């Protein structure tokens, strides 16, 4: 409210056409959008349901829409680009410092405002939007990593069960695979009938996980064969198909890095700095 001659009058609502940047806090069902004008002043702050999200943005002028990198961010960014908006994704660690309310004031509205503020910074770094094909390949890599962890756990479980009956096998997956069937068929050891059945079931799980891993490896090999960047990467010393495929699927456009040093820093190969006055602390 403002006063004019002692009479309060309502503030005039800013026109949607004034919006130049929108911070969008995404979630499963309820989203929050924070719009700001060229001065950084808030134009609107409102909740949006999933069903109405795209309809709302279809009515917005051409502007920047910033999202925090999280599950679904690349999906929504692609949808916003189709609507003619300049969608940008920001890493979470770059958003938190701009939440004026601090850690104790975290909510959807404040997060959307922080995203909007962070995106307005001239030196802000944005995450390139991944294509659906990139994310599809990354699905294979995530599945493979999960299967690998499950397989390791399954092998260790079998070793633990055998050790309960005094059967110890050399510390090698290949060694265990070579003797496991013979151990289960050997009637001279102390394995009970139920224990044999239980370990046989674990052995079947091991075989199934091997098949899943093989499926993933075939998809990765096909990616390396068909993608020119992945094919070039696998030619480097010490880089195998899994690393080449995962790197290309994650990065996408390597031109976003000015040089190899920037790429190394992105990978985390550059040590963190904590210095003052030209001296490391």
């Amino acid at each position: 409210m403002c006063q004019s001659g002692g009479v309060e009058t309502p503030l005039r609502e800013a026109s949607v056409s004034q919006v130049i940047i929108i911070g969008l806090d995404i979630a499963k069902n309820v989203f929050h959008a924070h719009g700001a004008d060229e001065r950084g002043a808030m134009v609107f702050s409102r909740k949006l349901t999933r069903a109405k999200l795209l309809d709302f943005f279809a009515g917005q002028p051409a502007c920047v829409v910033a999202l925090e990198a999280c599950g679904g961010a690349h999906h929504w960014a692609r949808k916003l680009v189709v609507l003619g908006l300049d969608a940008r994704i920001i890493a979470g660690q770059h958003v938190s410092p701009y939440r004026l309310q601090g850690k104790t004031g975290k909510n959807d509205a404040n997060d959307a405002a922080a995203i909007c503020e962070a995106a307005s910074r001239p030196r802000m770094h944005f995450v390139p939007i991944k294509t659906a094909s990139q994310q599809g390949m990354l699905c294979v890599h995530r599945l493979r990593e999960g299967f690998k962890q499950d397989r390791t756990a399954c092998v260790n479980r079998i070793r633990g069960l055998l050790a309960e009956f005094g059967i110890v096998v050399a510390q090698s997956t290949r060694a265990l695979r070579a003797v496991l069937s013979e151990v289960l068929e050997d009637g001279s050891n102390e394995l009970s009938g139920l224990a044999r059945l239980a370990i046989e079931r674990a052995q079947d799980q091991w075989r199934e996980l091997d098949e899943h891993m093989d499926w993933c490896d075939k998809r990765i090999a096909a990616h390396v064969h068909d993608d020119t960047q992945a094919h070039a990467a696998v030619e480097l010393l010490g880089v195998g198909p899994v690393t080449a495929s995962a790197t290309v699927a994650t990065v996408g456009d390597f031109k976003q890095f000015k040089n190899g040093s920037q790429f190394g820093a992105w990978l985390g190969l550059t040590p963190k700095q904590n210095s003052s006055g030209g001296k490391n602390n």
Side-chain angles (χ1 to χ4, degrees), residues 10-279:
L11 288 173
R12 184 181 62 178
E13 184 176 355
S15 170
V16 173
S17 62
Q18 292 178 298
V19 175
I20 66 167
I21 186 168
I22 300 174
L24 177 63
D25 182 60
I26 63 176
K28 291 182 179 179
N29 298 308
V30 180
F31 302 70
H32 201 102
H34 179 102
D37 61 18
E38 60 183 4
R39 298 173 299 144
M42 184 183 73
V43 175
F44 62 78
S45 179
R46 58 179 298 178
K47 292 182 179 180
L48 298 165
T49 62
R50 172 180 286 267
K52 296 181 179 179
L53 183 67
L54 294 180
D55 288 338
F56 170 79
F57 278 101
Q60 299 302 311
C63 62
V64 173
V65 182
L67 308 87
E68 185 176 351
C70 61
H74 292 276
H75 162 75
W76 289 113
R78 290 193 296 267
K79 294 291 186 181
L80 293 170
V81 169
V82 172
L83 294 177
L85 300 170
D86 183 5
R88 303 181 184 182
I89 301 176
I90 308 175
Q93 67 266 27
H94 297 326
V95 173
S96 299
Y98 293 96
R99 190 187 304 113
L100 300 182
Q101 300 78 8
K103 295 182 179 179
T104 58
K106 180 174 171 54
N107 58 44
D108 294 347
N110 291 341
D111 285 349
I115 295 169
C116 185
E117 181 67 23
S120 68
R121 299 301 89 194
R123 297 182 62 187
M124 180 55 61
H125 293 285
F126 298 99
V127 179
I129 300 173
K130 289 182 173 60
T131 65
S133 297
Q134 278 182 268
Q135 290 192 289
M137 197 64 239
L138 288 174
C139 285
V140 174
H141 282 279
R142 292 192 181 103
L143 276 178
R144 185 184 185 279
E145 189 62 25
F147 291 143
K148 184 173 70 173
Q149 294 175 359
D150 291 344
R151 185 174 65 177
T152 299
C154 181
V155 170
N156 290 338
R157 190 177 302 117
I158 292 172
R159 288 185 180 279
L161 294 174
L162 292 175
E164 292 292 336
F165 296 91
I167 303 172
V168 178
V169 183
Q171 291 294 321
S172 165
T173 301
R174 181 178 300 177
L176 179 61
R177 192 194 305 273
V179 302
L180 183 56
S181 295
E182 295 179 6
V183 170
L184 292 173
E185 294 176 3
D186 185 3
S188 64
N189 57 43
E190 292 187 354
L191 284 174
S192 65
L194 187 57
R196 293 178 195 277
L197 291 175
I199 296 175
E200 284 178 354
R201 181 59 61 91
Q203 186 182 36
D204 290 340
Q205 182 189 20
W206 186 1
R207 293 193 185 101
E208 182 180 355
L209 290 169
D210 279 340
E211 292 176 358
H212 290 322
M213 287 283 291
D214 184 61
W215 181 89
C216 292
D217 287 338
K218 288 179 179 178
R219 303 287 82 73
I220 292 172
H223 178 222
V224 171
H225 180 270
D226 297 336
D227 189 283
T228 55
Q229 291 187 116
H231 185 74
V234 81
E235 298 295 327
L236 299 175
L237 181 64
V239 177
V242 174
T243 301
S245 174
T247 302
V248 170
T250 302
V251 176
D253 183 13
F254 284 86
K255 293 181 180 179
Q256 63 182 290
F257 304 107
K258 293 182 180 179
N259 48 50
S261 297
Q262 278 196 357
F263 180 53
W266 180 83
L267 289 174
L269 299 178
T270 303
K272 294 182 180 180
Q273 294 189 16
N274 182 21
S275 63
S276 179
K279 295 182 180 180

